[in-house]
Amino acid sequence: MFRVTTEPLNVQQVNDLVKRPTDGAVVTFDGVVRNNFDGRPVRYLAYEAYAAMAEKKLAEIGAEVQQKFAVGEIAMMHRIGRLDIGESSIVIAVAAPHRHAAFEACAYAMDRVKAEVPVWKKEFFADGADHWVNQN
Amino acid sequence: MQITVKLFALMREKAGTDTVPLEVPAGAAVTQALATLVCQYPMLEPYMANTRFSVRMDFVDPNTILAEGDELVLIPPVSGGA
């Protein structure tokens, strides 16, 4: 499943989506909002997406990961809208017969997301300032 | 012909809109549409060098020829994930 949603993410649910009896490993990455940017206190984040294309790109990355690694099912969910400190912004779950492929595939999928999926993050700082990441 | 430009994130805020209807010559490429856009929204010009473009939900080359009714989406550097 590859989805962009405004709803809170349920890590266990995404993890369980990819389980198959033939797979002995599930690696799930839970990306959470941190309370600072290079030490500057962050109050909350806002994510914006070109949602239709973002879901298409997530699915393409999923297919690419399955081509490249010996893995089974993969699921990626990205949350958008306002997110507070500690909330999950992205969850990626990869199942595989053995753990090494699952670890590598999950890290690779996350790197691809950061490069190719049209989602943008805006940071709102404790001092009242805000900025779009990578855009100034 | 008529196309639509979609803006996101910082460029959306700078332009004050997420949708710009644009009249361009038939057979115009992405680059021509961008030149027209920047004439109307000069505040977008500084961001163009780092922007990628999408038509029908795929990244496209700036030389791609547009068709009537196309939605040209400007994709500034992405920052999704965690």
Side-chain angles (χ1 to χ4, degrees):
Chain A
M1 182 189 288
F2 305 97
R3 194 156 293 169
V4 172
T5 177
T6 55
E7 299 296 316
L9 301 180
N10 182 325
V11 179
Q12 191 64 50
Q13 191 180 62
V14 182
N15 181 86
D16 291 349
L17 270 176
V18 301
K19 282 186 178 172
R20 295 292 179 272
T22 48
D23 292 325
V26 175
V27 168
T28 298
F29 174 75
D30 178 11
V32 296
V33 177
R34 91 170 77 74
N35 70 357
N36 76 90
F37 175 74
D38 285 346
R40 186 174 177 185
V42 167
R43 213 152 42 96
Y44 65 94
L45 300 183
Y47 284 92
E48 179 172 321
Y50 175 20
M53 182 174 169
E55 289 187 345
K56 178 170 181 267
K57 287 289 157 199
L58 290 175
E60 285 175 10
I61 291 166
E64 185 189 332
V65 166
Q66 285 172 324
Q67 285 261 313
K68 220 174 153 66
F69 301 93
V71 297
E73 295 295 316
I74 175 164
M76 294 193 262
M77 307 273 278
H78 202 308
R79 187 175 169 195
I80 56 171
R82 176 184 165 143
L83 276 75
D84 291 315
I85 310 304
E87 289 194 291
S88 299
S89 56
I90 188 165
V91 178
I92 298 179
V94 184
H98 305 286
R99 70 183 184 283
H100 290 300
F103 276 121
E104 284 177 27
C106 190
Y108 178 84
M110 185 61 208
D111 288 347
R112 296 287 292 141
V113 167
K114 287 194 95 83
E116 295 297 327
V117 178
V119 176
W120 300 276
K121 172 161 69 176
K122 188 175 189 179
E123 292 171 321
F124 292 82
F125 296 106
D127 61 16
D130 58 59
H131 90 132
W132 287 99
V133 174
N134 292 341
Q135 287 183 41
N136 291 304
Chain B
M1 65 182 183
Q2 186 84 18
I3 65 156
T4 305
V5 176
K6 300 288 274 185
L7 301 171
F8 285 98
L10 183 62
M11 285 198 288
R12 171 180 60 73
E13 289 182 351
K14 293 287 179 188
T17 180
D18 61 2
T19 306
V20 179
L22 218 55
E23 182 66 32
V24 296
V30 170
T31 45
Q32 288 170 273
L34 296 176
T36 308
L37 177 72
V38 166
C39 279
Q40 293 179 25
Y41 293 86
M43 69 291 266
L44 297 179
E45 205 280 325
Y47 308 104
M48 288 298 171
N50 290 325
T51 297
R52 288 192 283 177
F53 317 104
S54 151
V55 177
R56 283 165 239 125
M57 296 203 290
D58 266 318
F59 289 113
V60 297
D61 192 88
N63 298 316
T64 302
I65 304 298
L66 295 164
E68 169 81 37
D70 268 352
E71 219 172 58
L72 170 61
V73 184
L74 272 54
I75 313 276
V78 299
S79 50

